[in-house]
Amino acid sequence: MAGDGLIDGYLAALHARTRGRADQRDLIDEIADHLLSAAERLEQRGVPRAEAESRALTRLGDPRLVASLLTSTPSKGTVLSLFFARRLGIFAGLASVTWALAAVSTYYGFTALSGSWSQESYLASAMLVATACLLTTAVLFGVNIRARGRVDAGTVWITVLGLFATAVAVLLAWAVTIWLPVLAAAVTWTCIRARRAHAGSPAFAAALAVLSPLLAIAVIAVSVFGVITGDEMDLAIWASVAALGVLLIAGFVDIAARVSHTFRLTSATA
């Protein structure tokens, strides 16, 4: 990227002046997120990349002044929150793979369409869905930490929703109309809260924020229709799980790529 040297140099200057902080790496990472997001918003308005980065740096201020403010402010964050924030890309990658496996396995475990349904296939697919929900919760927690810089009330409630969806998926994986809407609500809430976090592109965040609740509504509508008509809705239910998987895979791959890019910038200053 043409203008990355400007941001890279700024981060290097901050790194040299904040060596006394135990959470230095996380601070530099958070500032990198802010700078990249600001430059991206300016670029979307038609500002050339190099100029956009220059403006973003100007708005943040002289690195010496910023460093002096940072070194005089107590460290923030817990070991747990820093763990998830630092490993957001890893969790996003693992969640993507697990959702891909879950989308395939639920065809055999949640429906009889393949002609080879068994209790074992259901249990296997249920465990994959539950694992995918748990990894999704970890990603949502990490995104909220990166967006807010701390564990606030919203982060706690989003995590509770994700864990609830995971618990339901473990005990009642077939009850898609319960755990899928709850997980979709957590995803949508996170996307709305994380608009300014450089943990994924705005386009993917907007798509997830809009499509997740629509998918949840569709799942509930399909279930109600099946109850009223008495029809088997196995295919529609499986398609809903697969659609959620596709949405989250796309979003998580984007997050992993963005976080990896930010990590390369911050690692270069170390």
Side-chain angles (χ1 to χ4, degrees):
M1 199 174 289
D4 281 349
L6 295 175
I7 291 179
D8 199 6
Y10 191 96
L11 296 175
L14 282 181
H15 184 275
R17 292 174 170 82
T18 56
R19 297 185 186 277
R21 289 194 63 118
D23 59 346
Q24 181 197 56
R25 177 179 172 181
D26 299 284
L27 281 170
I28 300 298
D29 186 50
E30 185 176 335
I31 291 171
D33 284 348
H34 171 78
L35 290 172
L36 290 168
S37 296
E40 186 176 82
R41 288 194 296 271
L42 288 170
E43 192 175 14
Q44 289 174 348
R45 298 173 188 170
V47 179
R49 181 67 191 190
E51 183 181 347
E53 292 195 1
S54 179
R55 289 189 188 181
L57 293 175
T58 300
R59 291 177 181 177
L60 187 59
D62 185 279
R64 291 171 296 184
L65 175 59
V66 174
S68 67
L69 292 173
L70 292 176
T71 52
S72 63
T73 304
S75 299
K76 64 179 179 178
T78 64
V79 173
L80 181 64
S81 63
L82 295 180
F83 175 85
F84 282 98
R86 286 177 175 177
R87 292 162 179 80
L88 179 57
I90 296 175
F91 281 114
L94 290 174
S96 298
V97 173
T98 308
W99 273 114
L101 295 174
V104 174
S105 69
T106 49
Y107 179 80
Y108 300 95
F110 284 17
T111 78
L113 300 174
S114 65
S116 58
W117 184 92
S118 66
Q119 185 69 23
E120 290 74 18
S121 63
Y122 167 75
L123 292 175
S125 59
M127 290 309 300
L128 279 172
V129 168
T131 302
C133 289
L134 183 60
L135 288 171
T136 299
T137 303
V139 174
L140 298 180
F141 184 81
V143 170
N144 276 278
I145 292 297
R146 290 172 68 92
R148 299 290 169 152
R150 60 190 177 88
V151 180
D152 61 359
T155 301
V156 172
W157 279 110
I158 287 170
T159 303
V160 168
L161 289 176
L163 293 177
F164 176 78
T166 301
V168 175
V170 170
L171 300 174
L172 302 168
W174 53 268
V176 177
T177 51
I178 299 177
W179 65 259
L180 193 152
V182 171
L183 190 64
V187 170
T188 299
W189 192 356
T190 297
C191 289
I192 293 173
R193 283 165 51 87
R195 291 190 305 273
R196 297 181 179 179
H198 200 79
S201 68
F204 273 112
L208 282 173
V210 173
L211 295 178
S212 294
L214 291 179
L215 181 59
I217 293 172
V219 169
I220 295 173
V222 165
S223 178
V224 171
F225 179 80
V227 171
I228 293 175
T229 62
D231 294 334
E232 292 291 337
M233 306 302 294
D234 285 2
L235 179 59
I237 294 297
W238 167 76
S240 300
V241 176
L244 177 66
V246 170
L247 282 177
L248 293 178
I249 288 169
F252 291 161
V253 168
D254 180 60
I255 287 174
R258 289 300 192 92
V259 171
S260 175
H261 174 66
T262 301
F263 177 76
R264 288 196 298 271
L265 282 178
T266 56
S267 295
T269 68

